[in-house]
C-alpha cells in the first residue's frame, strides 16, 4: 500500500483490487477558471489559460501516483452557449495543449482518448486530436481522457438509441440488455468507472458529467478554483479518498 503524507490515518478498507488505495480512475470537473480571472481583474480567457497549466501539473501528478485513467471535463455540450470569443479561446487553448503535449504523451507512454460529440469541434482541433489519439493508441502507462463537447445525458440517450436500433433490427434480444450491455454502448466502454471524482471551486454539482459512470465514485469537493489546483491538492484529494469507507451499498 502506498501512503502519501506520513502520518496518514490507515485506510478503513482492505487494499484489494476492487477498492484500490490509489484510485485507478480519477475524473475531474475543472471549475472556477472564470472566477479566478475575475478575482485578478483579468479576462476569462486568462483563467482558462492558467487552467491549462493546472492540467499539465495534475497529469504529471497522476502519472507519478500510478493512476491508470484521468478524465478531464474540458468542454461540456452546454459550453457551446458561451460567448463566441470565449469558445474560440478555449478551442485555441486546446489546440495549443494538444500540439505541445503530443511529444510528451509519447515520451511518457500516455494514451490519449476523447469522449463527447467530437464531430462538433472545429476541423483543425478534431484532426489534431485524431492524430494524437492514433499516435498514442498503444501506450500503456496511463490514459488521459478528454471530455470535449461532452454531455452525459446525450451519451446515455445515444447508448439507448443504439440498443433500441439493434433490438428493432433483431440483432439483439431486448431481454439480454443488462448493465454490462448498456455500459458497452457508452463512449467510456472498456474504461473502469471513476473511483474518485474531484470538483474544484466549491460547487456541489455534477453538471451532466459521467452520470452513469460515477454511481459509486467518492466525491471530493475542493474550494480552490481550478487554476490554483496543484500537485499537493491532488495528493490531498487522494488522501481524502483513502480515508473514505467504500461500501458499494453493502455494510
Ligand atoms: C470551468 O470554469 C472550466 C471550463 C469551462 C473549461 C475548462 C478548460 C480548461 C481547464 C483549459 C483547457 C483544457 C485543456 C485540457 C487544455 P468556468 O469558466 O465555468 O469558471 P467560472 O464558473 O468561475 O465562471
Amino acid at each position: 500500500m502506498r501512503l502519501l503524507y506520513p502520518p496518514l490515518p490507515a485506510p478503513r478498507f482492505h487494499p484489494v483490487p476492487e477498492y484500490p488505495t490509489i484510485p485507478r480512475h480519477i475524473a475531474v470537473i475543472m471549475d472556477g477558471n472564470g472566477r479566478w480571472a475575475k478575482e485578478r481583474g483579468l479576462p476569462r480567457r486568462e483563467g482558462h489559460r492558467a487552467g491549462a497549466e493546472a492540467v499539465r501539473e495534475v497529469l504529471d501528478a497522476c502519472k507519478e501516483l500510478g493512476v491508470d485513467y484521468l478524465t478531464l471535463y474540458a468542454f461540456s455540450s452546454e459550453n457551446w452557449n458561451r460567448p463566441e470569443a470565449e469558445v474560440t479561446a478555449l478551442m485555441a487553448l486546446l489546440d495549443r495543449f494538444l500540439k505541445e503535449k503530443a511529444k510528451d504523451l509519447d515520451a511518457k507512454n500516455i494514451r490519449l482518448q476523447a469522449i463527447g460529440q467530437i464531430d462538433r469541434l472545429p476541423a483543425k482541433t478534431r484532426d489534431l486530436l485524431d492524430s494524437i489519439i492514433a499516435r498514442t493508441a498503444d501506450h500503456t502507462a496511463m490514459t488521459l481522457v478528454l471530455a470535449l463537447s461532452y454531455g452525459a445525458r446525450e451519451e446515455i440517450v445515444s447508448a439507448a438509441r443504439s440498443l433500441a436500433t439493434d433490438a428493432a433490427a433483431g440483432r439483439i434480444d431486448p431481454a439480454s440488455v443488462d448493465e454490462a450491455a448498456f455500459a458497452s454502448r457508452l463512449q467510456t466502454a472498456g474504461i473502469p468507472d471513476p473511483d474518485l471524482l474531484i470538483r474544484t471551486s466549491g460547487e456541489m454539482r455534477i453538471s451532466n458529467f459521467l452520470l452513469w459512470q460515477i454511481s459509486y465514485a467518492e466525491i471530493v469537493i475542493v474550494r480552490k478554483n481550478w487554476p490554483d489546483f496543484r500537485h499537493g491538492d491532488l495528493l490531498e484529494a487522494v488522501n481524502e479518498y483513502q480515508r473514505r469507507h467504500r461500501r458499494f451499498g453493502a455494510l
Side-chain angles (χ1 to χ4, degrees), residues 150-216:
Y150 176 85
R153 285 187 172 184
E154 253 163 31
E155 183 191 28
I156 289 170
V157 167
S158 162
R161 194 185 302 116
S162 114
L163 286 167
T165 305
D166 280 0
R171 287 190 289 270
I172 58 166
D173 174 2
S176 74
V177 176
D178 56 10
E179 288 189 15
F182 196 87
S184 75
R185 305 288 173 125
L186 295 170
Q187 289 193 303
T188 50
I191 298 177
D193 287 343
D195 302 295
L196 169 63
L197 171 71
I198 300 172
R199 179 168 190 148
T200 56
S201 90
E203 305 284 354
M204 310 250 184
R205 279 191 298 277
I206 299 300
S207 302
N208 203 16
F209 188 43
L210 300 176
L211 294 180
W212 170 281
Q213 298 87 341
I214 59 163
S215 292
Y216 289 103

Side-chain angles (χ1 to χ4, degrees), residues 30-35 44 48 51-52 55 73-74 79 82 86 90 93-94 97 146 226:
M30 308 181 289
D31 194 19
N33 293 352
R35 273 161 286 173
R44 292 178 62 83
H48 296 312
V55 167
Y73 205 4
N79 287 155
R82 294 199 174 189
E86 186 172 344
L90 274 166
L93 262 178
L94 181 62
F97 174 83
L146 294 180
W226 175 252

